[in-house]
């Protein structure tokens, strides 16, 4: 039942690719946006990092082109190589400032390049000074408040800024959050446009879901299990696209989304079979980003750092093992997946 989606995802990421898309139009757009940033920086040599980052937010909001797969209900792929964002626009500021790291200590930089990052005291394994790869966003906070809740907090914080730099930082954050809102609205608009001509019943069903939910969530807190699942992918992808930070986690879906699932069941909005189908499609978005048949010749040839965690304890210290735990494990096994990698936390009482 998921063969069409698998084919769509693998065509997008490429038969011989790993993690990134091969869409020449989208790759060309990212290249052009980086040139636009180069031109902006050249025209504004005194621009602060906040001004440069804010310009990135503006460009993404202005130029964003939604990626929707006909047989997926999820609106999260941003087309700039997403959560593994070694080459997207969000990475531009780090690339632009690379000479600063090199010039600070040329000898250390040479050792970093020649000997490997792990041997350096102030260079980490995935970037100088800070790790740009192994990050986890505040999933719980965003699921509770939505991006709008963070936006409201940022607006309040602006009133309490004590220095011009603090004000510039907060205003930059506000600009980034508004870019998120624009992107979500664009997903909804695109789904409505495609509904006018789509003929496949499943595609029409998913487009209708996206058209209804994208303009609402996760700008506002997710209210359904479907919105919660989509939020986990979207949060991962948007942080990579806008800020160049690669998130290697999809959170703890069985702990974070169980209340939304139970509420849906009680309200008659879903069934276990429907939720199970959503979970299968959710997981396939991770597994179809790489070529599992590629010959492994060295470290990381097939590495696709997407994980999710099942089990553990809730906020009250109670063991987490519920219907979603079972459904995620079953889907991962029956689909014969490798990614997203399940990390299971359990004890004798689980």
């Amino acid at each position: 039942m998921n063969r069409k989606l698998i084919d769509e995802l693998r065509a997008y990421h490429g038969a011989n690719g790993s993690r990134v898309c091969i869409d020449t139009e989208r790759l060309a757009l990212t290249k052009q946006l980086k040139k636009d940033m180069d031109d902006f920086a050249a025209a504004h040599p005194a621009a602060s990092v906040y001004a440069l980052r804010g310009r990135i937010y503006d460009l993404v909001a202005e130029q964003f082109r939604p990626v929707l797969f006909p047989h997926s209900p999820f609106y999260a792929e941003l087309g700039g190589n997403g959560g593994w964002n070694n080459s997207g626009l969000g990475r531009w500021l780090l690339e632009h400032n690379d000479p600063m790291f090199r010039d600070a200590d040329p000898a250390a930089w040479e050792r970093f390049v020649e000997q490997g990052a792990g041997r350096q005291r102030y260079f980490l394994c995935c970037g100088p000074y800070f790790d740009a790869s192994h990050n986890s966003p505040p999933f719980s906070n965003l699921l509770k408040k939505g991006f709008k809740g963070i936006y409201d907090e940022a607006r309040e914080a602006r009133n309490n800024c004590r220095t011009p730099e603090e004000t510039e930082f907060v205003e930059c954050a506000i600009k980034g959050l508004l870019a998120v809102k624009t992107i979500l609205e664009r997903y909804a608009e695109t789904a409505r446009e495609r509904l006018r001509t789509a003929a496949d019943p499943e595609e029409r069903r998913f487009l209708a879901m996206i058209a209804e939910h994208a303009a609402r969530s996760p700008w506002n807190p997710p209210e359904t299990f479907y919105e919660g699942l989509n939020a986990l992918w979207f949060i991962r992808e948007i942080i990579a696209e806008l800020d160049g930070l690669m998130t290697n986690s999809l959170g703890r879906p069985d702990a974070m989304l169980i209340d939304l699932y139970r509420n849906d069941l009680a309200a008659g909005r879903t069934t276990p079979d429907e939720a199970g189908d959503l979970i299968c499609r959710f997981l396939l978005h991770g597994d179809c980003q790489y070529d599992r048949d590629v010959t492994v010749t060295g470290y990381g040839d097939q590495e696709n750092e997407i994980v999710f965690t099942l089990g553990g304890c809730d906020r009250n210290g109670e063991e987490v093992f519920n219907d979603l735990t079972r459904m995620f494990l079953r889907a991962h096994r029956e689909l014969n997946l490798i990614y997203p990698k399940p990390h299971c936390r359990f004890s004798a009482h689980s």
Side-chain angles (χ1 to χ4, degrees), residues 212-266:
E212 175 186 355
H213 293 272
R216 205 205 71 78
S217 172
W219 178 247
N220 293 292
E223 292 182 352
T224 68
F225 178 61
Y226 161 60
E227 288 183 350
L229 272 179
N230 187 83
L232 298 183
W233 267 123
F234 182 82
I235 291 167
R236 177 183 187 269
E237 300 295 311
I238 196 68
I239 288 174
E241 184 65 20
L242 291 182
D243 289 311
L245 292 175
M246 292 167 278
T247 297
N248 66 344
S249 172
L250 290 169
R252 302 176 59 199
D254 59 343
M256 294 174 171
L257 305 182
I258 186 61
D259 288 340
L260 292 174
Y261 172 66
R262 288 169 176 164
N263 290 343
D264 279 359
L265 288 179

Side-chain angles (χ1 to χ4, degrees), residues 50-303:
Y50 306 126
L52 295 172
R53 178 65 67 191
R55 181 58 182 160
I56 291 174
Y57 295 154
D58 287 340
L59 284 174
V60 174
E62 293 166 5
Q63 302 292 332
F64 170 64
R65 301 174 189 175
V67 180
L68 296 175
F69 299 99
H71 294 89
S72 171
F74 298 110
Y75 47 100
E77 176 62 52
L78 295 165
N81 296 342
W84 195 284
N85 200 13
N86 283 320
S87 55
L89 185 61
R91 189 81 168 173
W92 177 88
L93 191 57
L94 178 60
E95 295 169 352
H96 177 72
N97 288 334
D98 265 352
M100 294 173 59
F101 307 134
R102 183 182 64 242
D103 296 343
D105 190 336
W109 180 264
E110 288 301 319
R111 291 196 301 272
F112 170 72
V113 173
E114 294 176 2
Q115 299 177 11
R119 303 183 185 183
Q120 307 307 313
R121 291 181 180 271
Y122 62 91
F123 289 97
L124 302 180
C125 69
C126 294
Y129 299 107
F130 74 98
D131 189 330
S133 179
H134 303 92
N135 302 281
S136 182
F139 285 112
S140 296
N141 203 31
L142 284 165
L143 290 172
K144 178 182 178 181
K145 299 177 180 179
F147 283 91
K148 183 179 184 299
I150 310 301
Y151 168 76
D152 291 340
E153 291 177 355
R155 292 185 63 189
E156 181 64 27
R158 183 171 54 186
N159 298 327
N160 300 317
C161 290
R162 295 167 295 180
T163 67
E165 183 179 7
E166 287 182 359
T167 300
E168 191 178 20
F169 168 78
V170 173
E171 289 180 344
C172 178
I174 289 173
K175 185 174 289 191
L177 290 161
L178 289 175
V180 172
K181 186 174 188 292
T182 298
I183 287 167
L184 288 167
E185 290 169 346
R186 198 78 53 79
Y187 274 123
E189 293 169 5
T190 300
R192 287 192 292 268
E193 291 171 1
R194 294 189 185 179
L195 264 173
R196 298 191 184 104
T197 57
D200 181 274
E202 185 171 81
E203 180 181 3
R204 290 189 59 82
R205 178 165 66 90
F206 290 151
L207 286 172
M209 292 168 64
I210 295 167
E212 175 186 355
H213 293 272
R216 205 205 71 78
S217 172
W219 178 247
N220 293 292
E223 292 182 352
T224 68
F225 178 61
Y226 161 60
E227 288 183 350
L229 272 179
N230 187 83
L232 298 183
W233 267 123
F234 182 82
I235 291 167
R236 177 183 187 269
E237 300 295 311
I238 196 68
I239 288 174
E241 184 65 20
L242 291 182
D243 289 311
L245 292 175
M246 292 167 278
T247 297
N248 66 344
S249 172
L250 290 169
R252 302 176 59 199
D254 59 343
M256 294 174 171
L257 305 182
I258 186 61
D259 288 340
L260 292 174
Y261 172 66
R262 288 169 176 164
N263 290 343
D264 279 359
L265 288 179
R269 287 190 293 263
T270 193
T271 66
D273 286 345
E274 290 170 343
D277 182 67
L278 284 176
I279 288 172
C280 288
R281 295 175 195 270
F282 173 90
L283 293 174
L284 283 171
H285 274 267
D287 197 65
C288 293
Q289 290 187 20
Y290 80 112
D291 180 6
R292 66 167 61 196
D293 296 323
V294 69
T295 300
V296 178
T297 60
Y299 171 76
D301 284 355
Q302 286 183 311
E303 179 61 5

